[in-house]
């Protein structure tokens, strides 16, 4: 009888073990990528909501000093907006610097600080700061 050539049982077992290891690594990287895509989608939605809120703040009704809060998408995203007069730390640091609000009766700067959070235990959080120029006839922030 001629000797038959082929794979031994040991070679087949080693090949299956290597295939199983490669598939495990591939599936692990795919699930990690899927999780990152999901987090990016949540972050993108939060950014879109925040941009919308910042764009309409002070347009529909005048800015008022203080804090407002709310939620979007039935409580999936929460936000807090704080409006306060802007104080330039560099101008206040100089000796003998004049306070602009005391000497000039012109436009006033308001600082808006918006925080948005979402996820379990509010683990994800973003924050924006923006300045708004209020006309001189608007007076000080209320």
């Amino acid at each position: 009888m001629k000797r038959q050539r082929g794979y031994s049982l040991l070679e087949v077992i080693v090949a299956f073990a290597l295939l199983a290891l490669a598939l495990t690594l591939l599936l692990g990287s795919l699930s990690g990528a899927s999780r990152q895509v999901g987090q990016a989608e949540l972050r993108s939605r939060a950014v879109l909501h925040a941009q919308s809120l910042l764009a309409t703040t002070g347009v529909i009704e005048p800015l008022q000093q203080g804090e407002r809060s709310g939620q979007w998408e039935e409580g999936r995203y929460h936000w807090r907006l704080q409006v306060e007069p802007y104080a330039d730390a560099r101008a206040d640091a100089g000796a003998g610097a004049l306070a602009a609000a005391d000497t000039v009766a012109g436009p006033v700067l308001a600082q808006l600080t918006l925080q948005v959070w979402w996820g379990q235990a509010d683990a994800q959080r973003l924050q924006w700061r923006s300045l708004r120029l209020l006309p001189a006839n608007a007076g000080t922030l209320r």
Side-chain angles (χ1 to χ4, degrees):
M1 226 167 147
K2 289 184 180 178
R3 186 169 181 204
Q4 293 182 352
R5 298 191 72 86
Y7 295 107
S8 69
L9 181 59
L10 182 59
E11 291 171 330
V12 171
I13 291 174
V14 169
F16 274 121
L18 289 176
L19 180 65
L21 179 64
L23 287 176
T24 302
L25 293 175
L26 177 67
L27 289 176
S29 65
L30 287 177
S31 69
S34 173
R35 185 173 41 256
Q36 288 178 349
V37 167
Q39 290 175 354
E41 191 266 335
L42 291 173
R43 184 176 294 256
S44 295
R45 292 180 71 84
V47 168
L48 288 173
H49 285 305
Q51 285 177 342
S52 176
L53 179 64
L54 285 174
T56 59
T57 299
V59 175
I60 298 171
E61 57 188 38
L63 282 178
Q64 294 183 356
Q65 185 173 351
E67 188 173 294
R68 296 183 348 195
S69 61
Q71 59 186 7
W72 295 300
E73 295 186 18
E74 299 175 0
R76 186 175 194 179
Y77 296 95
H78 301 274
W79 59 270
R80 181 181 315 123
L81 177 67
Q82 185 175 5
V83 179
E84 58 192 3
Y86 176 70
D88 188 6
R90 292 178 290 167
D92 294 340
L98 297 175
D102 295 338
T103 61
V104 179
V108 177
L109 274 178
Q111 178 174 319
L112 283 67
T113 305
L114 175 63
Q115 293 181 344
V116 177
W117 64 93
W118 68 95
Q120 294 180 352
D122 302 331
Q124 302 291 324
R125 185 176 294 266
L126 294 173
Q127 179 174 319
W128 292 265
R129 286 202 173 119
S130 178
L131 296 176
R132 297 292 163 92
L133 187 62
L134 301 177
N137 60 4
T140 60
L141 289 176
R142 292 184 247 155

